[in-house]
Amino acid sequence: MSSTTRRSVLAALSSAAVVATAGCSSIRADDPPAGSLRFVNDDDVPHTITMGVTGVGDEPGDGTGTVDGDPVVPPAQRNLTAGTSIEPGESSTYESVFTEPVWYAVRFTVDGREPENQTGVTAFRPSPTDSAAGNTLAGKIYESGEFSWVVSSTDDAGSFGE
């Protein structure tokens, strides 16, 4: 290989590395804000996923997907519902769904049915607690067709930022 060709290859690889690094940082910058809701379908068939708030509280309760306390929140936050029909391999994100710094009792359904073994219920807090990071909630259908909820942290505190 001549030195000119070697330099061309090295220059191309350097450019690719810069582009790959830039892509990683832009993905991080696109984190949804705290309080966002996401639906994900990694299965090979379409599904309908719904989420409903069954209660709000000051803290998580003793039971799965329960909360304790009676915080003051707008009525709309006590009765939140959202749903979507989602194609295979697709996802949908909705920002600022959960707007209050409380615990939400949440129940998911898939195709009109509750997932088995209470995998569709959780208690979720979107606002930052001990750190600056907030949380997002996702309802996810895996390649196996199994459902689970997923809580992810985000550096974007959204409306919870100071």
Side-chain angles (χ1 to χ4, degrees), residues 54 60-67 104-107 116-124 149:
T54 60
D62 291 332
T64 303
T66 64
V67 295
Y104 291 86
V106 176
R107 180 173 306 277
E116 295 181 11
N117 302 320
Q118 292 192 316
T119 58
V121 296
T122 188
F124 168 70
W149 51 266

Side-chain angles (χ1 to χ4, degrees), residues 16-128:
V18 169
V19 169
T21 303
C24 288
S25 64
S26 68
I27 289 170
R28 190 68 180 158
D30 290 340
D31 277 353
S36 294
L37 174 65
R38 187 168 192 219
F39 297 110
V40 180
N41 183 7
D42 287 338
D43 198 2
D44 58 359
V45 296
H47 289 283
T48 300
I49 306 173
T50 61
M51 179 282 311
V53 169
T54 60
V56 294
D58 298 310
E59 59 188 15
D62 291 332
T64 303
T66 64
V67 295
D68 287 333
D70 190 21
V72 176
V73 298
Q77 287 292 292
R78 291 183 181 277
N79 301 307
L80 281 174
T81 59
T84 189
S85 294
I86 192 160
E87 294 298 316
E90 297 291 319
S91 66
S92 296
T93 302
Y94 303 92
E95 295 184 358
S96 303
V97 172
F98 303 96
T99 62
E100 302 302 310
V102 297
W103 284 90
Y104 291 86
V106 176
R107 180 173 306 277
F108 286 96
T109 62
V110 177
D111 300 327
R113 295 183 306 274
E114 291 184 19
E116 295 181 11
N117 302 320
Q118 292 192 316
T119 58
V121 296
T122 188
F124 168 70
R125 182 181 173 115
S127 61

